[in-house]
Amino acid sequence: MDRTLPPGLSASQLDAALKEFGRAIGDEWVLATDLDRDTYLDHFAVDEAAHAPSAAVAPLTAEQVQQVLRIANQHKVPLWPISRGKNFGYGGAAPLLKGSVVLDLSRMRKIEFDAENGVALVEPGVGFYDLYDYIQQNKLPYWTSVPGNSWGSVLGNALDRGVGYTTYGEHTARLCGLEVVLPSGELMRTGMGAMSDSPTWNLYRYGFGPSWDQMFVQSNLGVVTKAGVWLMPAPESMIGLDLELDNAEDLGWAVDVVAAMRRDGLLQQSPSIGSWLRGAAVLTSRKEWYDKPGALPDEVIAAIRKRFNIGWWSISLRLYGYEPVNEAAAKIIQAQFAKQTKKPMTVTRWKQGEPLNPSPGQAAFAGVPITFPLANAAWHGGRGGHLGYSPVLPANGQAALEQFHRTYDRYREFGMDYHGSFAMGERCIVNVNQVLFNKDDADMMARVGQFFRALVADATEKRYGEYRTHIDYMDLVAGSYDFNDHALRRANETIKDALDPNGILAPGKSGIWPERYRSLRK
Amino acid sequence: MAAPQSAQVLDGRDLYQHRCGMCHQGIGMAVSLLSRRPGDTSNGLLEQRKDLAVEFVTTVTRTGIGNMPRIPRGEVSDPEMKAIATYLAKGGQ
C-alpha cells in the first residue's frame, strides 16, 4: 500500500519534518507507524481512506505546540489539531485533508480551578470525566454540563459548539478567555487575557476592542491551548417535568409552548423534543424489532413505543436553582402545557442533601458524564456509525412541523430509520437528526451520501443552514451560506491567508481553504 | 492529576478507570453493549472476564472492535497500554 502523504510533499520531505518534530517534542511522541496512522482514522466514516492522516504528533505543552507550528511552516506540512478526537459523527480524530499530520493535544490535561468564581481553566486534553472527577475529588460546589457523548474534550466540545442538558448547556457561550497559538507559532490570549497577569481573563468576555473568542470556534485560525469555562453553581433544587406526546403532529404546539418560555426566560435550559427511536436505538438492536430493509413500518414503531412506554415524541424540561423559584416556575410551566393537553407531566424533585444517584437516562441532566448514548451506533448490527444533519430553524411550531415532515419523508424515501430531535434555543431550534448506518451493509452505505445531500438541499431551499457538520460535508454546508456570492467565505479566507500564509492549519475546516490548497474545494 | 510517566510504576487499575472506565465501567456504552451479547456472564464488565490475554486487549484497543474506536498512542501510550492489558489479563487483580 502506498504511504499517505500531504499533498505536494515527498516521503523524504515529510520524514525531514517528522524528524524535527521529534527533536522539539521527543521522538516517542511522533506517531508515524502504519498502526499509528490507522488509529486516527474516523471510526464512523463512510470512507475512512478519504481522510487518512500521514502521521500524528502529540505535544505536552503550549511551548511545544508553538515549536510544532513553526516547524510545520518551514516544511509546509498541513496540521489537523484535535483535542481528544472523540467528535464522532463529525470526523472523530481524522483530518479533512488527506495526508495532514494530526496534532493530537490529548496529553495536555491540566486543570486550574477558580473556586470562588466557578471557572475552570482547561487544556484541550481535559475530558468531561476528568473535569467531573476533579470537581468531585476537590468537593467543589459546581456542576459540569456534559454532552450525550462525554468521552470527549470540554474545550474541544465548546469549540465545536457542542451542547449539554443543563442551563449551561450552550457550551460555546460559556467560554471566557482563550490562550491560542496562532499559525505563525505566536502565543496570544484573548479578552482580558491580553493584559498580562490579568485577574479577570476568565471573568469578562470581551476585553478592549474586537473580541476574538468566537474567531477560534469551528475555525482553522489558531490552536487553542487553554480555555476559561464557566460552570453552574450546584443548585439547591432540581425539578424535572417530563411529557410523552402521542402524535407526531403534537410537535407543532409543543414547540410553540416551549419557545415562549425560552424567550421570556421561564425556562433556562434547552430541552430537546426527541422521537421514539432515541431510546430504542441505545437500548436495543434493530433485528429485535424488524428484519427487513427499508424504514421501520408504523406497526413496528407502535411496538417500540409500547415496550418503552413512550410517545411519538418525548420532552424533558429541567429547572435548576433555588427551590421556591423552581416550584413557582414548575407551576407556570405545567399550566402552559395543560392548555394544550390533558396528559399530566411527570414531575421529579431533587434537592441538596438528598443522594444524587441519577438513573442512566437522567445522569446528563445532573451534569454526570455519560457515554451510553453512543451505543446507538450498534442499532443495525455490524460496524455501526452515524452522521448528524442539524439545520437551524426559527423557534416556530409550524416551521418545525413542516421541517419534520420534509425530513421524515426523506428518511422513508431512502429506506432509513428516522431519528430526529428539536433542541429549543432562546430564539431558534437546532433540529438534530441522526443518520444511523451499518458500514457492513454496502447497499445502505451507497445511499448515505445521496441521502445526506438531499437533506441539506431541502434545508437550503428553505434557507436553513446546518450549525455543524461532518468533515465530508464542510464544503457543501459552507457553500449554502451564500449571501452576496459567499462574502463571508471570502472574508474568512482573507483572514486565513493573512494569519496562515503557508496554509498549515486545518486546511478546509468549515469550508475555509488557504490559498495553497484552495483548488481542492469540492 | 499526575500524568503517568513511563519512568513511574504504572497502576493498571487506576489507568483502566481513567482511560477506559467512561465506557467500560458503570453505565458506560461498552458495558451496555457487551452485557447484551448472547452468553455474556460478566455483566459486560471486562474486569470480571477470565479470558482476556494481554496481546488480545492490546490488539483490539489499537485496531478497534465492534463499536469501539481505535485508541491512539497519543491518548494511551504503549507503557500505559501494557499496564492496562496486564491488569485485565489478571482478571482485574
Side-chain angles (χ1 to χ4, degrees), chain A residues 31 36 38-40 43 48 86 88 104 106-107 109 129 151 282-285 371-372 374-375 377, chain B residues 1 18-19 22-23 27-29 32-33 36 62-63 66-75 77:
Chain A
L31 309 171
D36 284 326
D38 285 353
T39 58
Y40 289 93
H43 188 63
E48 289 184 351
K86 309 303 180 194
F88 301 124
D104 180 351
S106 58
R107 293 175 64 220
R109 298 192 185 108
Y129 283 84
W151 193 4
V282 169
L283 296 167
T284 60
S285 310
T371 55
F372 71 86
L374 282 172
Chain B
M1 204 167 41
H18 286 103
R19 302 293 163 81
M22 51 282 275
C23 282
I27 59 170
M29 177 260 279
S32 161
L33 288 177
R36 271 153 54 183
R62 295 291 186 217
T63 60
N67 234 35
M68 176 172 162
R70 311 163 179 95
I71 305 296
R73 290 198 290 162
E75 182 177 354
S77 69

Side-chain angles (χ1 to χ4, degrees), chain B residues 16-77:
Chain B
Y16 181 71
Q17 186 189 334
H18 286 103
R19 302 293 163 81
C20 319
M22 51 282 275
C23 282
H24 283 288
Q25 293 178 325
I27 59 170
M29 177 260 279
V31 178
S32 161
L33 288 177
L34 292 173
S35 65
R36 271 153 54 183
R37 291 204 311 184
D40 172 75
T41 55
S42 60
N43 303 311
L45 296 169
L46 300 185
E47 288 160 289
Q48 292 182 14
R49 293 264 293 268
K50 303 292 175 215
D51 59 343
L52 297 176
V54 170
E55 295 74 19
F56 176 78
V57 173
T58 307
T59 301
V60 298
T61 306
R62 295 291 186 217
T63 60
I65 183 169
N67 234 35
M68 176 172 162
R70 311 163 179 95
I71 305 296
R73 290 198 290 162
E75 182 177 354
V76 178
S77 69

